[in-house]
Amino acid sequence: MTNGKIESRLWWIVLAGVLPLLTFLPVLVVYAYGSWFQISNRIAVVAIPVSLAIIIWKGWHRGDDIGKARQYFSFGIWTIGVLLAIGGGWLASTQLFLWGGLCCLIAFYLGRSSLPEWPSILGSVGLLGLVLPWPFGSLEAIADNLKLQAAWNVNTCLDGIGIANLLNKRTIELTSSNFTVADRLHGLDGLLTLLFLAGLIGLVRSRSFSHTLLLSIAGIFWLVMGYTFHGLLLVLSTEWYAQSYSYTTNRYIIGGSIFVGQLLFMVITDFVLARMMERVPDEVLQSDMAITSRTLNGILGWPQPVVHYHEDLSILEHESRYQDEEEHEDSVEELEEPIVADWRWRRIYAIAALLGVVLLPLSIMLTFVQLKRERPATPLVIDAATSARILGIGQLPDEIVGMRLVDAKSFTRPEDALSEEAPLRRQWRYESNDRTATVTIEYPVRESAFWDMGLDEQNWESEDIQFSGDELNSTRAVKEAWSWRRESGTSEIGGHVYYWTCALTDDASPVRKRQAKSIFGRMLDRLNKNVYTELLVEPQERSIVAIEVLFETGDGLTRTEEEQTLIWFEKIRDEIRRVLGGGR
Amino acid sequence: MASDFRRDVREFFQALGNPMATLGDVWDFLNGWRVSRRWLGLILLSLFPAIFAMSMFVLLILGMSQGKEKLLMRYVELAEKEAPLKTDALAQRGTPEELQSTRSGDGKENDNALLYFRRVLQLENDNKRARYYVAAQYATRGSLAQARKMMESLAPSKEEGYLPAHAWMAVDLIQQKQKGLPVSDLKLRHHLSKMAEWPEVSPNLLYVNAQFLASKNEKDAAVAMVQQAARRDSKLLTQAAMFAKALENTSVAEQLASNAILYHQAS
């Protein structure tokens, strides 16, 4: 078989395999444009195009034979992928669509690569495992702990440099400003992407299991180091150079650059590990073929690559195995032969190509349908006039549960460097002998403001409150209803604290979900300082209106007092809803 | 395959039976591993990541080597420099009329000092000075309920606690009384008496204490308190003389009046 024939057939196989994957590109583009900074999607947005690029690159290179088990496994995954993608398109679920894409990618690679069988299957399952939710939110917990570790690192480094600071959970407080370090890092995205990259390198470069495991650990290490560096950079730039990186663009450029650095370090680590973990050649071992040496060599390279030595061979082995060029060429020819001869696979790729041709226009069409369908539910962007009307809502009563109104303020967005983070808000303050209450309407509040901190460790009560049952009768009403949540407990410095949140359930607003993480940490921080700061707000992204009520009291509220308190909030909510029109 | 397995099992047992030879094999393997790597290339390749990681580690080690005690001392020093106890709002409280018009703990908001003291609390949770300052700042910023809780823990109503906190509690109770809220006299008396023991307390607050004692018909104690206030601040001499005279303690009134004359002549 001539080289030209081999290349043309490889081209055909590559195109047939890649075409179905291309069907996912429109969705990816939409995601890349609209949801780059949304936690759950970045992994897909980052990983899949990168993987595609690698696969296409690999497609230029020769492949070799694969076993029966792997053929069926690959075909099974590919089928699941296509079904998921069709289901995702039908249900307008981009998430399903992307999972389908990932399945196809893995199937394509499994069907083509020159890896030994079971390690590849394990690796593919591992990669899939990163996309699927983990039990008990453990992956999220790991990501969160890494961010907290990074915040501690920044705190310790600042102590070392001699800059006065205070680490309050995840906020580094300085004399000049505060930084919610752990919230400004791309926790779960970073972890997933680096683990994904480790897995992908392991598969694509035919690395051993122990190598891939070490690479994953190295990924976590570089992630924390990158976080620490990012946090330090944010703090020092303000403290030393009075240069704020809070501008959205600046922050993303710096975050992105550090992320690229982390990826680069991962690649370097892979190269270093590959050289460190190469088998020790028999020629340099004095005790030839001793079981100890064989075992240790086995640990270094388990599972042993079967047919891929011609690419990743160490120099010594290479020279010892292929004494002359002619012999080397013969061996390559032997390796190439099976894939060219195995035409059974051509049919599968032909079906894949056909489906790809059909799916591509369907995918584009579905994407547009989905975009159109999602438009009313995606970012609730309120124009300036409506915003002003929301914030212009009338005065609250002069007295509530024995407290007098002492202050009412409207905060407009200052035209300074931090303006992008400053919410528009209106605030009422009530006081009595041993109670204070702050009622705030804020707009916009990003969904991420309601994540991050868990209540469990704080021993606080959390209760979802559902008002006005009629709103929950239809699907539409559920989507447009306001969600309520009450959190209460004893603050770390004494006194009872009640915290009510009421927000529009914009899309899958986590406020409604019992298991969703709350804004508690930031709220307590505000409570300690009695000021409202550090809400990360992205005016153009998934904006929602929220009413937040902070209630401090020496003695707990009675049930009646709680109910009375809630009645005001309902009034505010109704007024805002009237301004927004109908359900909104 | 089977013969390989048999050979492996045999060699495994041989290795178990001769640990020294096994150690020798391990050493041989490690040596083989060392000589078969291209170290220069590896070092060059990992230079940049290594420098980055090392700089991070140096900073971390530098921070960790500070130690809790050293950090605590540093932050206490910073905090005291920023907000010394002598300039505390309560210590410098003005006349009783001013006291009436202001809220407990009312003072200047000092973000830097608050940060330092909160860090001190983080390093040493039972640092009374820091707790006192943080509580007073909470009160200044409107979190009265929390401030009271903290102050009560610092200055219990039946035992001796941190003296400035007793002073804060006394002022708070007086203010509540002035607003017509029910206040336990026993509690107020306890806090006032402890407040008087605070060397930095404002003479005006001592004068307020004297007024309280006079209202309870404890004339001798009231006069003693007003004398103490006058000794601390000569500007109060005239006021103290009039107070003593009103309580029919002529000898003390005359002595205070003559001191007041001398003070005015000197100034």
Side-chain angles (χ1 to χ4, degrees):
Chain A
M1 184 137 324
T2 63
N3 278 344
K5 274 186 178 175
I6 292 169
E7 285 299 325
S8 68
R9 282 176 187 173
L10 282 175
W11 252 111
W12 158 246
I13 291 166
V14 168
L15 278 177
V18 169
L19 262 176
L21 301 175
L22 286 177
T23 60
F24 301 98
L25 280 182
V27 178
L28 287 178
V29 170
V30 169
Y31 260 73
Y33 179 72
S35 309
W36 176 257
F37 300 106
Q38 200 173 334
I39 284 174
S40 57
N41 298 325
R42 199 188 291 181
I43 173 67
V45 176
V46 170
I48 293 183
V50 170
S51 313
L52 273 177
I54 292 170
I55 296 302
I56 291 165
W57 179 78
K58 286 292 284 185
W60 279 96
H61 291 71
R62 62 182 69 83
D64 40 46
D65 198 10
I66 55 173
K68 276 272 181 204
R70 187 149 137 210
Q71 285 175 16
Y72 291 129
F73 189 73
S74 163
F75 185 64
I77 289 184
W78 186 85
T79 314
I80 292 168
V82 172
L83 287 175
L84 280 179
I86 293 172
W90 185 258
L91 299 170
S93 161
T94 38
Q95 201 67 35
L96 273 184
F97 217 78
L98 291 170
W99 283 0
L102 194 70
C103 285
C104 284
L105 182 143
I106 290 165
F108 174 69
Y109 186 70
L110 273 177
R112 272 213 24 82
S113 81
S114 50
L115 296 180
E117 292 178 9
W118 291 108
S120 311
I121 292 168
L122 282 176
S124 310
V125 171
L127 287 184
L128 263 181
L130 286 177
V131 178
L132 299 171
W134 282 26
F136 312 114
S138 44
L139 198 62
E140 286 80 358
I142 293 171
D144 199 48
N145 279 314
L146 291 178
K147 290 205 287 186
L148 289 175
Q149 176 63 45
W152 182 86
N153 286 356
V154 174
N155 169 247
T156 311
C157 288
L158 288 175
D159 281 343
I161 296 167
I163 293 176
N165 73 100
L166 171 77
L167 174 64
N168 185 9
K169 292 195 176 70
R170 52 190 59 218
T171 307
I172 298 274
E173 294 181 27
L174 302 166
T175 50
S176 56
S177 55
N178 295 338
F179 294 94
T180 310
V181 171
D183 280 343
R184 296 197 178 181
L185 309 172
H186 41 71
L188 190 57
D189 319 330
L191 180 67
L192 283 174
T193 310
L194 290 185
L195 288 181
F196 192 96
L197 187 69
L200 202 68
I201 289 174
L203 271 177
V204 172
R205 302 291 300 160
S206 317
R207 301 306 189 205
S208 67
F209 176 76
S210 38
H211 178 112
T212 312
L213 189 71
L214 283 176
L215 192 61
S216 305
I217 294 169
I220 294 173
F221 173 77
W222 289 125
L223 194 73
V224 176
M225 286 293 115
Y227 284 169
T228 308
F229 182 63
H230 193 175
L232 266 180
L233 205 65
L234 281 171
V235 172
L236 294 181
S237 62
T238 310
E239 196 68 10
W240 285 351
Y241 304 108
Q243 175 75 45
S244 172
Y245 283 125
S246 293
Y247 281 118
T248 308
T249 318
N250 279 351
R251 207 165 72 205
Y252 292 150
I253 288 172
I254 288 171
S257 310
I258 289 169
F259 193 61
V260 169
Q262 286 168 332
L263 296 182
L264 183 72
F265 285 180
M266 277 286 281
V267 174
I268 293 175
T269 310
D270 172 58
F271 278 115
V272 172
L273 276 177
R275 297 295 165 259
M276 298 286 275
M277 297 187 72
E278 273 171 2
R279 293 180 79 253
V280 178
D282 297 338
E283 290 82 350
V284 297
L285 294 174
Q286 288 169 3
S287 49
D288 189 31
M289 299 303 284
I291 189 158
T292 318
S293 309
R294 282 208 307 279
T295 310
L296 291 172
N297 250 339
I299 293 169
L300 277 184
W302 185 84
Q304 291 291 324
V306 178
V307 289
H308 216 62
Y309 279 122
H310 60 279
E311 268 192 23
D312 286 336
L313 201 64
S314 69
I315 299 300
L316 278 171
E317 261 183 309
H318 185 92
E319 284 168 357
S320 64
R321 192 166 291 192
Y322 306 117
Q323 292 298 328
D324 54 54
E325 196 60 27
E326 196 179 329
E327 192 186 343
H328 186 189
E329 279 174 11
D330 289 346
S331 68
V332 171
E333 194 66 32
E334 276 168 25
L335 286 167
E336 283 167 354
E337 194 58 34
I339 194 169
V340 179
D342 188 4
W343 281 100
R344 284 170 301 171
W345 275 96
R346 199 177 58 170
R347 291 179 199 150
I348 291 169
Y349 286 124
I351 296 167
L354 193 68
L355 270 170
V357 172
V358 176
L359 277 176
L360 188 60
L362 185 72
S363 161
I364 295 168
M365 196 179 74
L366 281 173
T367 306
F368 279 105
V369 169
Q370 187 182 350
L371 275 178
K372 200 175 172 186
R373 200 185 294 177
E374 276 189 353
R375 194 165 294 147
T378 38
L380 170 64
V381 179
I382 299 173
D383 58 43
T386 316
S387 171
R389 284 173 68 201
I390 290 172
L391 296 166
I393 277 170
Q395 201 59 266
L396 261 73
D398 285 344
E399 190 175 327
I400 296 167
V401 284
M403 293 182 302
R404 301 284 306 167
L405 179 70
V406 291
D407 196 17
K409 284 180 193 165
S410 279
F411 297 84
T412 49
R413 189 172 292 148
E415 291 179 3
D416 62 9
L418 294 169
S419 63
E420 287 174 58
E421 290 181 3
L424 298 163
R425 66 172 176 261
R426 178 138 197 212
Q427 205 172 77
W428 294 263
R429 189 166 167 73
Y430 288 84
E431 241 181 60
S432 71
N433 186 31
D434 68 340
R435 290 171 177 174
T436 55
T438 314
V439 183
T440 308
I441 301 176
E442 279 190 330
Y443 170 79
V445 180
R446 198 184 178 193
E447 270 195 5
S448 61
F450 295 90
W451 293 347
D452 296 324
M453 292 300 291
L455 283 173
D456 301 343
E457 62 198 64
Q458 312 290 343
N459 293 322
W460 271 43
E461 279 178 33
S462 171
E463 182 189 1
D464 288 339
I465 308 165
Q466 291 195 350
F467 279 102
S468 315
D470 58 333
E471 281 180 356
L472 305 174
N473 285 341
S474 70
T475 315
R476 185 177 169 77
V478 167
K479 202 162 190 174
E480 292 179 350
W482 290 76
S483 64
W484 288 81
R485 164 171 281 226
R486 185 198 73 152
E487 285 145 37
S488 62
T490 310
S491 86
E492 60 187 9
I493 52 171
H496 290 265
V497 179
Y498 292 82
Y499 187 63
W500 282 274
T501 319
C502 171
L504 277 171
T505 53
D506 189 21
D507 231 332
S509 169
V511 183
R512 178 175 287 276
K513 294 179 185 170
R514 189 169 286 277
Q515 71 273 27
K517 302 299 171 83
S518 79
I519 197 172
F520 171 72
R522 207 167 293 125
M523 183 274 294
L524 197 64
D525 182 40
R526 294 173 183 187
L527 175 69
N528 287 338
K529 290 182 284 179
N530 205 26
V531 286
Y532 277 65
T533 55
E534 280 298 338
L535 261 186
L536 296 181
V537 176
E538 301 294 339
Q540 298 308 317
E541 280 187 64
R542 315 190 69 75
S543 308
I544 55 174
V545 177
I547 304 169
E548 296 173 353
V549 184
L550 193 63
F551 202 113
E552 295 173 58
T553 159
D555 303 313
L557 287 176
T558 63
R559 194 75 195 169
T560 320
E561 284 173 329
E562 274 193 37
E563 282 168 8
Q564 281 175 4
T565 316
L566 284 169
I567 289 168
W568 333 320
F569 312 151
E570 269 207 303
K571 283 182 184 166
I572 306 173
R573 190 237 6 220
D574 289 343
E575 281 204 60
I576 294 175
R577 195 164 55 172
R578 188 176 50 75
V579 170
L580 293 172
R584 291 211 148 171
Chain B
M1 184 68 80
S3 64
D4 281 354
F5 180 71
R6 274 199 297 275
R7 186 198 61 190
D8 285 350
V9 170
R10 194 178 60 243
E11 284 187 13
F12 175 74
F13 282 109
Q14 277 174 357
L16 277 184
N18 193 351
M20 289 312 289
T22 310
L23 277 177
D25 284 347
V26 171
W27 177 254
D28 178 37
F29 179 84
L30 292 176
N31 195 42
W33 179 80
R34 186 180 60 81
V35 298
S36 58
R37 310 299 111 165
R38 293 179 170 180
W39 290 107
L40 185 64
L42 281 174
I43 289 167
L44 284 177
L45 193 64
S46 50
L47 202 59
F48 185 54
I51 288 171
F52 173 76
M54 285 300 286
S55 358
M56 290 284 115
F57 275 122
V58 165
L59 283 177
L60 274 172
I61 290 164
L62 207 64
M64 285 161 76
S65 66
Q66 298 281 308
K68 193 178 161 185
E69 288 303 317
K70 203 172 166 187
L71 276 175
L72 187 67
M73 273 172 64
R74 188 174 140 220
Y75 278 97
V76 167
E77 200 176 301
L78 279 170
E80 288 295 351
K81 198 174 166 189
E82 191 73 33
L85 197 56
K86 281 183 182 173
T87 60
D88 182 88
L90 203 61
Q92 290 191 325
R93 183 71 66 182
T95 61
E97 290 72 32
E98 282 173 17
L99 181 68
Q100 197 171 354
S101 66
T102 54
R103 284 195 330 213
S104 295
D106 205 6
K108 195 181 164 192
E109 286 188 16
N110 190 333
D111 287 337
N112 290 2
L114 184 61
L115 179 91
Y116 301 145
F117 276 121
R118 283 173 63 214
R119 183 71 198 266
V120 169
L121 276 184
Q122 207 173 53
L123 293 162
E124 188 187 56
N125 192 37
D126 55 355
N127 187 302
K128 288 180 178 171
R129 167 78 181 108
R131 282 186 80 79
Y132 167 74
Y133 187 85
V134 171
Q137 282 285 310
Y138 283 152
T140 302
R141 289 151 202 250
S143 299
L144 267 175
Q146 301 219 352
R148 281 191 188 120
K149 281 265 175 190
M150 288 179 80
M151 288 295 187
E152 273 168 15
S153 70
L154 280 170
S157 54
K158 286 179 184 169
E159 297 164 36
E160 182 169 333
Y162 186 57
L163 296 180
H166 279 295
W168 191 95
M169 287 299 296
V171 171
D172 188 51
L173 290 173
I174 290 167
Q175 285 173 344
Q176 287 186 43
K177 206 170 182 181
Q178 284 165 345
K179 285 178 188 169
L181 295 167
V183 168
S184 155
D185 276 350
L186 209 63
K187 245 186 195 180
L188 181 58
R189 181 190 292 271
H190 174 73
H191 288 307
L192 280 170
S193 68
K194 292 295 165 197
M195 175 192 80
E197 292 173 19
W198 181 24
E200 302 296 334
V201 73
S202 155
N204 291 306
L205 290 180
L206 292 176
Y207 190 84
V208 171
N209 191 6
Q211 283 178 323
F212 171 78
L213 292 170
S215 72
K216 297 293 167 196
N217 212 20
E218 294 177 26
K219 292 181 182 176
D220 291 345
V223 170
M225 191 57 64
V226 89
Q227 275 181 299
Q228 195 183 336
R231 270 199 299 275
R232 302 272 297 276
D233 186 358
S234 303
K235 287 177 197 160
L236 288 175
L237 277 167
T238 315
Q239 219 173 338
M242 287 164 71
F243 184 84
K245 195 184 173 192
L247 292 179
E248 297 165 355
N249 195 329
T250 329
S251 60
V252 173
E254 281 173 2
Q255 186 197 341
L256 288 169
S258 58
N259 284 347
I261 292 163
L262 287 173
Y263 170 71
H264 285 297
Q265 280 173 349
S267 61

